[in-house]
C-alpha cells in the first residue's frame, strides 16, 4: 500500500482513481436518466467538490448548467459544527431543478444548511449528489439522492478533499493511519 505524508499526518491509499471514476460514471447515468427533461442547475460546493464536479459533469449529457458556490472552510480532522453562509450563487433558481454537488456528507449539518439556504430561493426541487457519505456519522435527517461511495468514519483526503488545506490535488482517496 502506497502511503503519503501530509503535514504532520500519514495517510494510506484507500480508494483508487479507477474505482472513484467507475462510481461517478454510475451516478452520472442515474442523473442522465432521472433529470433528462428537467434542465437542472448543478450547484457545486467549493473547494472540496471541484474534482468530483469536473469528472461528474464530463459524464452528464443532458441539458444543464453548472455553477459554483462557497461555504466555510473545514479546519483540522473533526467537524467544527459552525455553519456558514452560502455565497456566490448568481443564478435565479426560482422554479428550477437544482442538484447540489458536494464532496462528502459527514454529520450532514453542512448539507442541511445548504439545502435550507437554497430552498429560500424557491427552486422547483433540490437534489443532492455527493461523492462520499459516512452513514455512521450522520446526525440529522437527510435524503441523499446520489451517492458515489459510502465509507466508514475515518478521516480521508485526496480527490478534492483536504487536511488543513493540503492534499486536494491527489488523484486517489487516502485515509488517515494511526
Ligand atoms: P458535515 O457538515 O459534518 O457533513 O461535514 C461536511 C464537510 O466536512 C465536508 O464538506 C468536508 O469539507 C468536511 N469533511 C468531513 N469529513 C471529512 C473528511 O474525512 N476529510 C476531509 N473533509 C471532511
Ligand atoms: Mg465540503
Amino acid at each position: 500500500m502506497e502511503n503519503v505524508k501530509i503535514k504532520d499526518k500519514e495517510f494510506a491509499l484507500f480508494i483508487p482513481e479507477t474505482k472513484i471514476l467507475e462510481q461517478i460514471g454510475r451516478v452520472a447515468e442515474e442523473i442522465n436518466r432521472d433529470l433528462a427533461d428537467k434542465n437542472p442547475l448543478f450547484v457545486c460546493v467549493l473547494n472540496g467538490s471541484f474534482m468530483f464536479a469536473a469528472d461528474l459533469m464530463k459524464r452528464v449529457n443532458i441539458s444543464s448548467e453548472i455553477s459554483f458556490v462557497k461555504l466555510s472552510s473545514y479546519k483540522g480532522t473533526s467537524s467544527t459544527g459552525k455553519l456558514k453562509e452560502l455565497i456566490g450563487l448568481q443564478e435565479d433558481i426560482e422554479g428550477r431543478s437544482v442538484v447540489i454537488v458536494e464532496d462528502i456528507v459527514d454529520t450532514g449539518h453542512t448539507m442541511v444548511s445548504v439545502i435550507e439556504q437554497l430552498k429560500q430561493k424557491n427552486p422547483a426541487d433540490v437534489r443532492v449528489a455527493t461523492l462520499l457519505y459516512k452513514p455512521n456519522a450522520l446526525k440529522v435527517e437527510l435524503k441523499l439522492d446520489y451517492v458515489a461511495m459510502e465509507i466508514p468514519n475515518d478521516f480521508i483526503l485526496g480527490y478534492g478533499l483536504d487536511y488543513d488545506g493540503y492534499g486536494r490535488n491527489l488523484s486517489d482517496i487516502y485515509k488517515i493511519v494511526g
Side-chain angles (χ1 to χ4, degrees):
M1 263 231 187
E2 192 191 322
N3 280 21
V4 294
K5 185 141 191 248
I6 303 287
K7 297 187 88 174
D8 58 326
K9 300 216 182 321
E10 184 140 330
F11 294 82
L13 182 62
F14 179 41
I15 312 173
E17 188 181 17
T18 47
K19 164 114 192 268
I20 299 169
L21 294 177
E22 199 179 281
Q23 294 309 312
I24 292 174
R26 174 184 55 77
V27 165
E29 277 175 30
E30 291 172 17
I31 287 172
N32 289 335
R33 185 196 59 210
D34 295 350
L35 306 181
D37 55 356
K38 295 210 179 275
N39 188 36
L41 172 70
F42 291 89
V43 174
C44 309
V45 185
L46 293 173
N47 295 327
S49 75
F50 81 101
M51 279 204 194
F52 174 43
D55 282 325
L56 179 68
M57 295 312 296
K58 283 188 259 181
R59 291 162 178 82
V60 165
N61 57 21
I62 57 171
S63 167
S64 58
E65 287 181 285
I66 181 160
S67 188
F68 297 86
V69 295
K70 227 171 160 163
L71 278 174
S72 52
S73 59
Y74 184 82
K75 299 236 184 280
T77 54
S78 70
S79 211
T80 58
K82 273 190 203 147
L83 300 169
K84 296 216 176 133
E85 198 192 344
L86 187 76
I87 50 169
L89 188 69
Q90 311 286 346
E91 289 79 2
D92 177 10
I93 62 167
E94 187 161 345
R96 193 92 192 257
S97 284
V98 171
V99 182
I100 300 166
V101 178
E102 175 63 304
D103 55 354
I104 186 165
V105 173
D106 188 31
T107 64
H109 288 300
T110 305
M111 191 46 61
V112 164
S113 163
V114 171
I115 292 169
E116 275 173 12
Q117 292 183 61
L118 288 172
K119 282 197 169 161
Q120 282 166 13
K121 298 171 190 293
N122 300 316
D125 40 61
V126 177
R127 290 176 177 78
V128 178
T130 185
L131 175 71
L132 297 156
Y133 170 41
K134 294 177 177 173
N136 298 327
L138 194 69
K139 293 210 160 61
V140 290
E141 206 179 295
L142 179 60
K143 178 172 176 265
L144 300 174
D145 301 271
Y146 306 103
V147 176
M149 293 166 292
E150 290 191 6
I151 58 168
N153 277 359
D154 313 283
F155 187 80
I156 53 118
L157 96 179
Y159 198 77
L161 291 106
D162 71 305
Y163 166 50
D164 269 359
Y166 290 84
R168 294 192 196 276
N169 54 310
L170 297 165
S171 52
D172 307 293
I173 291 173
Y174 291 78
K175 86 171 168 191
I176 201 157
V177 285

